[in-house]
Amino acid sequence: MIIVMKGSTPKEQVHDVIRTIEELGYQPHVIWGTQRTVIGAVGDERGKARLQSLEVMPGVESVVPILQPFKLAGREFKSTASTVKVGDAEFGSDRIPIIAGPCSVESEEMVMQLALLAKEAGASILRGGAFKPRTSPYAFQGMGKEGLRLLAQAREATGLAIVTEVLKPEDVDMIAETADMLQIGARNMQNFALLKRVGEVGKPVLLKRGMSATIQEFLMAAEYILSEGNYNVVLCERGIRTFETATRFTLDLNAIPVLKKLTHLPVIVDPSHGTGHWEYVAPMAKAGIACGADGLMIEVHMRPEIAVSDGIQSLRPDVFRQLMRELAPFAQAAGRRL
Amino acid sequence: MIIVMKGSTPKEQVHDVIRTIEELGYQPHVIWGTQRTVIGAVGDERGKARLQSLEVMPGVESVVPILQPFKLAGREFKSTASTVKVGDAEFGSDRIPIIAGPCSVESEEMVMQLALLAKEAGASILRGGAFKPRTSPYAFQGMGKEGLRLLAQAREATGLAIVTEVLKPEDVDMIAETADMLQIGARNMQNFALLKRVGEVGKPVLLKRGMSATIQEFLMAAEYILSEGNYNVVLCERGIRTFETATRFTLDLNAIPVLKKLTHLPVIVDPSHGTGHWEYVAPMAKAGIACGADGLMIEVHMRPEIAVSDGIQSLRPDVFRQLMRELAPFAQAAGRRL
Amino acid sequence: MIIVMKGSTPKEQVHDVIRTIEELGYQPHVIWGTQRTVIGAVGDERGKARLQSLEVMPGVESVVPILQPFKLAGREFKSTASTVKVGDAEFGSDRIPIIAGPCSVESEEMVMQLALLAKEAGASILRGGAFKPRTSPYAFQGMGKEGLRLLAQAREATGLAIVTEVLKPEDVDMIAETADMLQIGARNMQNFALLKRVGEVGKPVLLKRGMSATIQEFLMAAEYILSEGNYNVVLCERGIRTFETATRFTLDLNAIPVLKKLTHLPVIVDPSHGTGHWEYVAPMAKAGIACGADGLMIEVHMRPEIAVSDGIQSLRPDVFRQLMRELAPFAQAAGRRL
Amino acid sequence: MIIVMKGSTPKEQVHDVIRTIEELGYQPHVIWGTQRTVIGAVGDERGKARLQSLEVMPGVESVVPILQPFKLAGREFKSTASTVKVGDAEFGSDRIPIIAGPCSVESEEMVMQLALLAKEAGASILRGGAFKPRTSPYAFQGMGKEGLRLLAQAREATGLAIVTEVLKPEDVDMIAETADMLQIGARNMQNFALLKRVGEVGKPVLLKRGMSATIQEFLMAAEYILSEGNYNVVLCERGIRTFETATRFTLDLNAIPVLKKLTHLPVIVDPSHGTGHWEYVAPMAKAGIACGADGLMIEVHMRPEIAVSDGIQSLRPDVFRQLMRELAPFAQAAGRRL
């Protein structure tokens, strides 16, 4: 932390700040400047956020953090890229896993059809919501445990691994028994109780970025899981909230190279939620791979127009198959393969 | 829902859309126009979001909702303003309750001091976090049950009602035994499992707006609680996330008159989180009352510079006392009183 | 500027940075830390933005500015509040001037009617667009010079001063001959050629905040005018662009106390554009005064439903008159008067 | 336009709205519904924005536009993709032109070096700012006419076409004499006087998206140029303003497929401004091509650390050369070539 003092601060105020830094357990290093006096506070990084409160002291102009607040998720902690294995897929490797499937599990027939489609087209993980977070209490809330059973059945039939969302801490164990990967949805990215629970369980976690989370907050959410001892975390950019209304969210692909620089964790892209419209999914899937994503998550449906949720952003089978064919040369251009 | 067809859509495509509307259980009303054909879909409003998926059908240009998706929270359901009683305070009445207290409960002494201060200055509810949602896993996570006990003790000493945050569904019963009002924090505004639980319990709920939640989503979150039978919901505007970095959040005071128009529920303002800086709390507290807020929530601390959380936005005792004195004429100008 | 080096930077890279700081004309001050080495660069503040480019050098983690980039607009340059006189009105004084009038000048009759209404209700400045910036080339572009003539005529009849918008540098002289105050619209806040011209002319300027301008950029735009020698600048908060769609813009009232802290220039609020809907204008006008605004700008129309522009946010005469009556006690609560 | 009436509106209010629609020159079509009455207004699309004002009338709930407000820029006006020729380059063709060069023209030597580099690496257009829009009045404002002369000299030496920015209407003719393409910067996207002038002149225009412009507003800005008879417009996505601070702007690549759907005009990507950091330029350049961009604009500098502007986002020669080599397979994967 660097504490910047105001232009004409009396020395007594500087000393008050110094004393308070010491009181909080840090060592102050003062640089007496001509225009500004600046104080560095040195000590255990992990509690430093608290030093922000020094901004209320007389004479203090601003408090500027100079280090990133995450540890285990950062490249300074581990400089080489991590990989996360889920079934046959390995996120962070040369081969780019594709996760495909419906937004919600709707019936036995639909899950089986879509699992076969995903498998045949080259995906390696099946997605499907059994417990659904819905903006409206009147919308379909998911099939629950029966949905989980259908996913497991589809895994048995196809060999695909399965990923599904967990909504509350008390469901984590039950869902972890069936699923190969636990998804934390965007709306739960800062549900810290849930993050801690999936951290304890140890299963691979797919952590989606909150729609208004900064990249730093996203990594702090991952840090919650890592600090419980679970390093199998895959990050997922899925669009942020901006003023633009032509798309449901603004897919922040800048986040891919930024995350690649800051963290060793694998990063994937969800172009379905990130655009909210099926026609834009294919170009943004390609863009995701081009800028370095370690995987994709794509919603597919046999008849999107009657889907119980998110039909508008789901690909029909033929569109999905074509996308999978078209993705291959982009993966190759990126020095990887599907 | 209004389904707008593209300019030169063949009739067959229009009929496909009509058939699908019927398949989904709605009645289609077609208006054949010169530039555009438009189809209205009539039926049970509560499941209509699903009709958005029609946008994937050939010939469909856009699907436009014309009704608000909330019911119980809306003025069409209940046109007169609701009031919510918490201890001696009544949100939505002529008298404007002030909630004051520390961000986190830190010790017995501090809670008692601040409770006495709040009481003496004219506040009617004591706030204080016992279970804290923190961006960093390394930051102070709250005193837990011991914090609850200290709040109850402060209530006994002062007669103030107490409000405190709940973080997970399984804690709701335990916290509801002690607290007079349950707070759902901004990061949990779409933690639907938690919303349902506080809906079942029936205690008054303080629902904070998510930092990237639209006003419509905010009301849908309230709808979750109401639809479980709990009508004692107070909404709290606490700042949204924008590009501006001079303040921690952008306090969206526009939301106060908009909410007053759309919903019968009381609405309060949190200028502490909404600005993130103590110097801006007083002016924005006054502005909140001027534009029609039914209450305020203000963070106070004896020594903000050593607070374990949010010291930067906490008022010192003398600043808080002065604010309470200055608020009175604004309440009066608004035809109300503190 | 503070240049933060990466954790394990070799000394040679630090020395490269030091040499480049010197090459750019600044004096480096190195603090060799345990976790990070930090270099302060001291010298003429006004060109320091250039030092940001050091971030490209090997070993540099980030470059952090510690001083605000504006000079003349800042409280460090002039600590006491400035006032700006326009006709009988004085922005920044105890008396709060109200600017009222139509979005666009539409006809002789309408301008005269609205001027009389504004005068009678207590406003001191008449607004009215003669040259209009419109999002669509097919929308009404203003009456031009004839509009100016009608404004001047209304001034003669009522004694109100007049403010009108300038769109391009070459119109500044012509419009300055008639208008008492020149308005720079939000879309032109960073039209630097226009800022320089109104700076040269010397007439009072009403500078509206760009819809995506940070407060710092807003003050840098004012700095352009001030640095040409024109200190008669009034700042106007008129709403920023955010994800919220329930209002046309999000009125950022936080900006009022922030600006009051950073600058000596008067600051006013435009609740008409800041909400985009007439029903929200009155509450936000009151809130503006409550948080310290030095004036208001309000759109009024005899028949908003047939206005050529912005009818949706214009007040009918009776609504405007009532607002003016209701504002008085809020001004008084703020220690001022209308 | 569709005018949605409130739930329980008396018939008389519906008739008032009908009369006003007629007064404004449109034909009303009423659909009397059970929950809502809805009125369609039919007539000349180009002035329809005015109908928004009907929202102020008693009984009106909302006014919903159902058609896009642009004409000439839209796919309904011209369904096939347009191409724009600039020197040897053709935007919108199978071959993807790369624009490269410094942010600002700084000296004869630097322009010549960078032009030779750009040419040799495969770029076809040289960029370079002679007149610079700068946030600070104290920052370098460009070399002006001398800068133009140096660009022309570099064109002569290399055969590259040149694009440079115009800042004010009165400079357009002078700059158009030298430049092959006129750039309208992001801050001037809604400088309507400037748009009209470049529309009259007829030279190819590179129109950059405003940092808070919706895609619809972006196309309306293009419409200004087209409606003056100049169809040689190339759109450029260069990042929008969001809450994320890890990058200077959020590059909105979603906008590429959205624009491709809505307009026939070519669309390019500027990953330099869109990220604000040289390390992220290469991945986002690749992503731009992957999602369908018709060109790229990239800032290059011999020694970015001493650049007078935007050094932080400029590529060194070797990094640029490598990027050009790596882009080729992505262009091929997209069915195109550099």
Side-chain angles (χ1 to χ4, degrees):
Chain A
M1 285 288 172
I2 284 184
I3 293 94
V4 182
M5 304 300 294
K6 282 181 189 155
S8 50
T9 311
K11 274 205 168 172
E12 190 41 50
Q13 292 185 352
V14 179
H15 286 298
D16 281 350
V17 173
I18 289 172
R19 268 190 299 273
T20 311
I21 291 173
E22 288 167 344
E23 184 179 353
L24 292 169
Y26 292 87
Q27 293 87 52
H29 289 249
V30 191
I31 308 120
W32 301 93
T34 48
Q35 290 210 40
R36 285 288 186 279
T37 291
V38 161
I39 310 172
V42 173
D44 183 16
E45 282 307 312
R46 292 183 299 189
K48 273 197 176 169
R50 197 176 167 181
L51 292 171
Q52 289 281 5
S53 293
L54 296 175
E55 212 168 301
V56 304
M57 294 191 74
V60 174
E61 181 160 299
S62 60
V63 176
V64 183
I66 60 167
L67 293 186
Q68 295 280 8
F70 44 85
K71 300 273 132 186
L72 308 175
R75 287 269 184 186
E76 295 203 14
F77 175 76
K78 178 171 183 296
S79 60
T80 57
S82 296
T83 60
V84 175
K85 278 202 149 196
V86 181
D88 296 337
E90 189 173 11
F91 293 95
S93 71
D94 277 357
R95 200 149 162 222
I96 299 174
I98 309 294
I99 305 170
C103 177
S104 300
V105 172
E106 294 178 26
S107 73
E108 179 168 353
E109 190 198 2
M110 81 92 82
V111 174
M112 200 57 81
Q113 281 181 326
L114 289 172
L116 291 168
L117 167 69
K119 174 77 178 180
E120 170 223 306
S124 46
I125 302 178
L126 176 68
R127 65 152 286 151
F131 300 86
K132 298 296 300 172
R134 301 303 300 278
T135 303
S136 167
Y138 309 121
F140 177 66
Q141 309 274 320
M143 291 182 75
K145 287 185 188 181
E146 172 64 5
L148 276 186
R149 200 186 59 77
L150 298 179
L151 286 170
Q153 195 175 298
R155 171 175 53 195
E156 214 161 310
T158 58
L160 294 171
I162 57 180
V163 57
T164 198
E165 184 163 355
V166 286
L167 293 185
K168 38 184 175 170
E170 62 258 48
D171 288 353
V172 170
D173 284 322
M174 181 258 294
I175 295 175
E177 267 174 45
T178 303
D180 300 294
M181 186 178 212
L182 302 173
Q183 179 179 320
I184 303 283
R187 287 168 186 77
N188 278 319
M189 193 204 82
Q190 292 193 317
N191 183 335
F192 303 115
L194 189 57
L195 294 174
K196 284 180 192 167
R197 273 305 288 135
V198 301
E200 289 160 11
V201 161
K203 272 269 167 101
V205 176
L206 181 62
L207 178 65
K208 300 192 99 179
R209 180 181 182 184
M211 60 187 78
S212 67
T214 62
I215 289 172
Q216 194 178 85
E217 289 167 340
F218 190 16
L219 287 172
M220 289 309 282
E223 189 85 5
Y224 261 94
I225 304 171
L226 271 59
S227 67
E228 295 292 337
N230 184 355
Y231 283 72
N232 294 306
V233 176
V234 174
L235 304 171
C236 181
E237 161 62 34
R238 48 77 71 204
I240 58 172
R241 194 147 257 184
T242 71
F243 63 83
E244 179 59 68
T245 55
T247 46
R248 194 171 164 207
F249 293 100
T250 295
L251 189 66
D252 179 14
L253 287 184
N254 277 355
I256 309 305
V258 173
L259 284 166
K260 283 294 181 184
K261 185 183 173 190
L262 296 176
T263 184
H264 52 88
L265 298 171
V267 187
I268 72 168
V269 168
D270 174 351
S272 303
H273 285 88
T275 61
H277 203 279
W278 72 275
E279 286 174 282
Y280 310 138
V281 170
M284 300 318 287
K286 295 169 187 172
I289 286 184
C291 68
D294 296 308
L296 295 174
M297 186 173 204
I298 294 171
E299 291 191 352
V300 190
H301 200 282
M302 304 308 283
R303 280 189 68 199
E305 64 273 24
I306 60 158
V308 296
S309 59
D310 282 354
I312 198 170
Q313 69 198 34
S314 298
L315 301 187
R316 289 177 203 285
D318 54 333
V319 177
F320 176 63
R321 277 190 214 103
Q322 189 186 338
L323 169 58
M324 289 297 283
R325 282 191 302 270
E326 290 177 4
L327 279 176
F330 287 98
Q332 212 178 332
R336 304 170 90 167
R337 63 208 166 88
L338 286 194
Chain B
M1 285 286 173
I2 284 184
I3 294 94
V4 182
M5 304 300 295
K6 282 181 189 156
S8 51
T9 312
K11 274 206 168 172
E12 189 40 50
Q13 292 184 350
V14 179
H15 286 299
D16 281 350
V17 173
I18 289 172
R19 268 191 299 274
T20 310
I21 291 173
E22 289 168 344
E23 184 180 350
L24 291 170
Y26 293 86
Q27 293 87 52
H29 289 250
V30 191
I31 308 121
W32 300 93
T34 48
Q35 290 210 40
R36 286 287 185 283
T37 291
V38 160
I39 310 172
V42 173
D44 183 16
E45 283 307 312
R46 290 183 301 188
K48 271 195 175 170
R50 196 176 167 181
L51 292 171
Q52 289 280 6
S53 293
L54 295 175
E55 211 168 302
V56 305
M57 295 191 75
V60 174
E61 182 161 298
S62 60
V63 176
V64 183
I66 60 167
L67 292 187
Q68 295 281 9
F70 44 85
K71 299 274 133 188
L72 308 176
R75 287 268 183 185
E76 295 204 14
F77 175 75
K78 177 170 184 296
S79 61
T80 57
S82 297
T83 60
V84 175
K85 279 202 149 194
V86 181
D88 296 337
E90 189 173 12
F91 293 94
S93 71
D94 277 357
R95 201 151 161 220
I96 300 174
I98 309 296
I99 304 170
C103 177
S104 300
V105 172
E106 296 178 27
S107 73
E108 180 168 352
E109 190 198 1
M110 79 93 81
V111 174
M112 199 57 80
Q113 281 180 325
L114 288 172
L116 291 168
L117 166 70
K119 175 76 179 180
E120 171 224 305
S124 46
I125 302 177
L126 176 68
R127 64 152 287 151
F131 300 86
K132 297 296 301 173
R134 301 303 298 277
T135 303
S136 166
Y138 310 120
F140 177 66
Q141 309 274 318
M143 291 183 76
K145 287 185 189 182
E146 172 64 6
L148 277 186
R149 199 185 59 77
L150 298 179
L151 286 170
Q153 195 174 298
R155 171 175 52 197
E156 213 160 310
T158 59
L160 294 172
I162 58 181
V163 58
T164 199
E165 186 163 354
V166 286
L167 293 184
K168 37 184 177 171
E170 62 260 49
D171 288 353
V172 170
D173 284 322
M174 181 258 294
I175 295 175
E177 267 174 45
T178 303
D180 301 295
M181 187 178 213
L182 302 173
Q183 179 179 322
I184 303 283
R187 288 169 183 76
N188 278 319
M189 193 205 81
Q190 292 193 317
N191 183 336
F192 303 116
L194 188 58
L195 295 173
K196 284 181 192 165
R197 275 302 290 132
V198 300
E200 288 160 12
V201 161
K203 272 268 166 101
V205 177
L206 181 62
L207 178 65
K208 300 191 100 178
R209 181 181 182 185
M211 59 187 78
S212 66
T214 62
I215 289 172
Q216 195 179 85
E217 289 167 340
F218 190 16
L219 288 172
M220 289 309 283
E223 190 84 6
Y224 261 92
I225 303 171
L226 271 58
S227 67
E228 295 293 337
N230 185 353
Y231 283 71
N232 294 306
V233 177
V234 174
L235 305 171
C236 180
E237 161 61 33
R238 48 78 70 206
I240 58 173
R241 196 148 255 187
T242 72
F243 63 83
E244 179 57 68
T245 55
T247 46
R248 193 171 166 207
F249 293 100
T250 296
L251 188 66
D252 179 13
L253 287 185
N254 276 355
I256 309 305
V258 173
L259 283 166
K260 284 294 182 186
K261 185 183 173 189
L262 295 177
T263 184
H264 51 88
L265 298 171
V267 186
I268 72 168
V269 167
D270 173 351
S272 303
H273 284 87
T275 61
H277 203 281
W278 72 274
E279 287 173 283
Y280 310 139
V281 169
M284 300 317 287
K286 295 169 188 172
I289 285 185
C291 68
D294 296 309
L296 295 174
M297 187 174 204
I298 294 171
E299 291 191 352
V300 190
H301 199 283
M302 304 307 284
R303 279 189 68 199
E305 64 273 23
I306 60 158
V308 297
S309 57
D310 282 354
I312 198 171
Q313 70 198 34
S314 298
L315 299 188
R316 290 178 204 283
D318 55 334
V319 178
F320 177 63
R321 276 189 215 106
Q322 189 186 339
L323 170 58
M324 289 297 284
R325 282 192 301 270
E326 289 177 4
L327 280 176
F330 287 98
Q332 212 179 332
R336 304 169 91 168
R337 64 207 165 89
L338 287 194
Chain C
M1 286 286 173
I2 284 183
I3 294 94
V4 181
M5 304 300 295
K6 281 179 189 156
S8 51
T9 312
K11 273 205 170 174
E12 189 41 50
Q13 292 184 353
V14 179
H15 286 298
D16 281 350
V17 173
I18 288 171
R19 269 191 298 275
T20 310
I21 290 172
E22 288 167 344
E23 183 180 350
L24 291 170
Y26 292 86
Q27 292 88 52
H29 289 249
V30 191
I31 307 121
W32 301 94
T34 48
Q35 290 210 42
R36 286 287 186 282
T37 291
V38 161
I39 310 173
V42 173
D44 183 17
E45 282 307 311
R46 291 184 299 188
K48 272 196 176 170
R50 197 175 168 182
L51 292 170
Q52 289 279 6
S53 293
L54 295 174
E55 211 168 303
V56 305
M57 296 190 74
V60 174
E61 182 161 298
S62 61
V63 176
V64 183
I66 61 167
L67 293 187
Q68 295 281 9
F70 45 84
K71 300 273 134 188
L72 308 176
R75 286 269 183 184
E76 295 204 14
F77 175 77
K78 178 170 185 296
S79 61
T80 57
S82 297
T83 60
V84 175
K85 278 203 149 196
V86 181
D88 295 338
E90 189 173 12
F91 293 94
S93 71
D94 276 357
R95 199 148 164 224
I96 299 175
I98 309 295
I99 304 171
C103 178
S104 301
V105 173
E106 295 179 25
S107 73
E108 180 169 351
E109 190 198 1
M110 81 93 81
V111 175
M112 199 57 80
Q113 282 180 327
L114 289 171
L116 290 168
L117 166 70
K119 174 76 179 180
E120 171 223 305
S124 46
I125 302 178
L126 177 69
R127 64 152 287 150
F131 300 86
K132 296 297 300 174
R134 301 304 298 278
T135 303
S136 166
Y138 310 121
F140 177 65
Q141 307 274 320
M143 291 183 75
K145 287 185 190 183
E146 173 63 6
L148 276 186
R149 200 185 59 76
L150 298 179
L151 286 170
Q153 195 175 297
R155 171 174 52 196
E156 213 161 310
T158 59
L160 294 171
I162 58 181
V163 57
T164 199
E165 185 165 354
V166 287
L167 293 184
K168 37 183 176 172
E170 62 260 49
D171 288 354
V172 170
D173 284 323
M174 181 257 295
I175 295 175
E177 268 174 44
T178 302
D180 300 295
M181 186 179 212
L182 302 173
Q183 179 179 321
I184 304 282
R187 287 168 184 78
N188 278 319
M189 193 205 81
Q190 291 194 318
N191 182 336
F192 302 116
L194 189 58
L195 294 174
K196 284 181 192 167
R197 275 302 291 133
V198 300
E200 288 159 12
V201 161
K203 273 266 166 105
V205 176
L206 182 62
L207 179 65
K208 299 191 100 178
R209 181 181 181 184
M211 60 187 77
S212 67
T214 62
I215 289 172
Q216 194 179 84
E217 289 167 342
F218 190 15
L219 287 173
M220 288 309 284
E223 189 85 5
Y224 261 93
I225 304 172
L226 271 59
S227 66
E228 296 292 338
N230 185 353
Y231 282 72
N232 294 305
V233 176
V234 174
L235 304 171
C236 180
E237 162 61 34
R238 48 76 72 204
I240 57 172
R241 195 147 256 188
T242 72
F243 63 82
E244 179 57 68
T245 55
T247 46
R248 193 171 165 207
F249 294 99
T250 296
L251 188 65
D252 178 14
L253 287 185
N254 276 356
I256 309 304
V258 174
L259 284 166
K260 285 293 182 187
K261 185 184 174 189
L262 296 177
T263 184
H264 51 88
L265 298 171
V267 187
I268 72 169
V269 167
D270 173 351
S272 304
H273 284 87
T275 61
H277 203 281
W278 72 273
E279 286 174 283
Y280 310 137
V281 170
M284 299 317 286
K286 295 168 189 173
I289 286 184
C291 67
D294 297 307
L296 295 174
M297 187 175 203
I298 293 171
E299 291 192 353
V300 189
H301 199 284
M302 304 307 284
R303 279 189 69 200
E305 65 273 24
I306 60 158
V308 297
S309 57
D310 282 354
I312 198 171
Q313 69 198 33
S314 298
L315 301 188
R316 290 178 204 283
D318 54 334
V319 178
F320 176 65
R321 275 190 216 104
Q322 189 186 339
L323 170 58
M324 289 297 284
R325 281 191 301 270
E326 290 177 4
L327 279 176
F330 287 98
Q332 212 178 332
R336 304 170 90 166
R337 62 204 167 91
L338 287 196
Chain D
M1 285 289 171
I2 284 182
I3 294 93
V4 182
M5 303 301 294
K6 282 180 190 155
S8 51
T9 312
K11 273 204 170 174
E12 189 40 51
Q13 292 184 351
V14 179
H15 286 298
D16 282 349
V17 173
I18 290 171
R19 269 191 298 273
T20 310
I21 291 172
E22 288 167 344
E23 183 180 354
L24 291 169
Y26 292 86
Q27 293 87 53
H29 289 248
V30 191
I31 308 120
W32 302 93
T34 47
Q35 291 210 41
R36 285 289 185 279
T37 291
V38 160
I39 311 172
V42 173
D44 182 17
E45 282 307 312
R46 291 184 299 189
K48 272 196 176 171
R50 195 174 168 182
L51 291 170
Q52 289 280 8
S53 293
L54 295 174
E55 211 168 303
V56 305
M57 295 191 74
V60 174
E61 181 160 299
S62 61
V63 176
V64 183
I66 61 168
L67 294 187
Q68 296 280 9
F70 44 86
K71 299 276 134 185
L72 309 175
R75 287 269 184 186
E76 294 203 14
F77 176 76
K78 178 171 183 295
S79 61
T80 57
S82 296
T83 59
V84 174
K85 277 202 150 196
V86 180
D88 296 337
E90 189 173 10
F91 293 94
S93 70
D94 277 357
R95 201 149 162 222
I96 299 175
I98 309 295
I99 304 170
C103 178
S104 300
V105 172
E106 295 179 27
S107 73
E108 180 168 353
E109 189 197 3
M110 82 92 82
V111 175
M112 199 58 80
Q113 282 180 326
L114 290 172
L116 291 167
L117 167 70
K119 174 77 178 180
E120 171 223 306
S124 46
I125 302 178
L126 176 68
R127 64 152 286 150
F131 301 86
K132 297 296 300 173
R134 301 303 298 279
T135 303
S136 166
Y138 310 120
F140 177 65
Q141 308 275 319
M143 291 183 75
K145 287 185 189 182
E146 173 63 5
L148 276 187
R149 199 184 60 75
L150 298 179
L151 286 170
Q153 195 175 297
R155 170 174 54 196
E156 214 161 308
T158 59
L160 294 171
I162 58 181
V163 57
T164 199
E165 185 164 353
V166 287
L167 292 185
K168 38 184 175 170
E170 63 259 48
D171 288 353
V172 170
D173 283 324
M174 181 257 294
I175 295 175
E177 267 174 45
T178 302
D180 300 295
M181 186 178 212
L182 302 173
Q183 178 179 321
I184 303 282
R187 287 169 184 76
N188 278 318
M189 193 204 81
Q190 291 193 319
N191 182 335
F192 302 115
L194 189 58
L195 295 174
K196 284 181 192 166
R197 275 302 290 134
V198 301
E200 288 160 12
V201 161
K203 273 266 166 101
V205 176
L206 181 62
L207 179 65
K208 300 191 100 178
R209 181 181 182 184
M211 60 188 77
S212 67
T214 62
I215 290 172
Q216 195 180 84
E217 289 167 341
F218 191 16
L219 287 172
M220 289 309 283
E223 190 85 6
Y224 261 93
I225 304 171
L226 271 60
S227 67
E228 296 292 337
N230 184 354
Y231 282 71
N232 293 306
V233 176
V234 175
L235 304 171
C236 180
E237 162 61 34
R238 47 77 72 206
I240 58 172
R241 194 147 258 185
T242 72
F243 63 83
E244 179 58 68
T245 55
T247 46
R248 193 171 164 206
F249 294 99
T250 296
L251 189 66
D252 179 13
L253 287 184
N254 277 355
I256 309 304
V258 173
L259 283 166
K260 284 295 182 185
K261 186 184 173 190
L262 295 176
T263 184
H264 51 88
L265 298 171
V267 186
I268 72 169
V269 168
D270 173 350
S272 304
H273 284 87
T275 61
H277 203 280
W278 72 274
E279 286 174 283
Y280 310 138
V281 170
M284 300 317 286
K286 295 169 188 172
I289 285 184
C291 68
D294 296 307
L296 295 174
M297 186 174 205
I298 293 171
E299 291 191 351
V300 189
H301 200 283
M302 304 307 284
R303 280 190 68 199
E305 65 272 25
I306 59 159
V308 297
S309 58
D310 281 354
I312 198 170
Q313 69 198 33
S314 298
L315 300 187
R316 290 177 204 283
D318 55 333
V319 177
F320 176 65
R321 277 190 214 103
Q322 189 186 339
L323 170 58
M324 289 297 284
R325 282 191 301 271
E326 290 177 4
L327 279 176
F330 287 97
Q332 212 178 333
R336 303 170 92 167
R337 64 205 165 91
L338 286 195

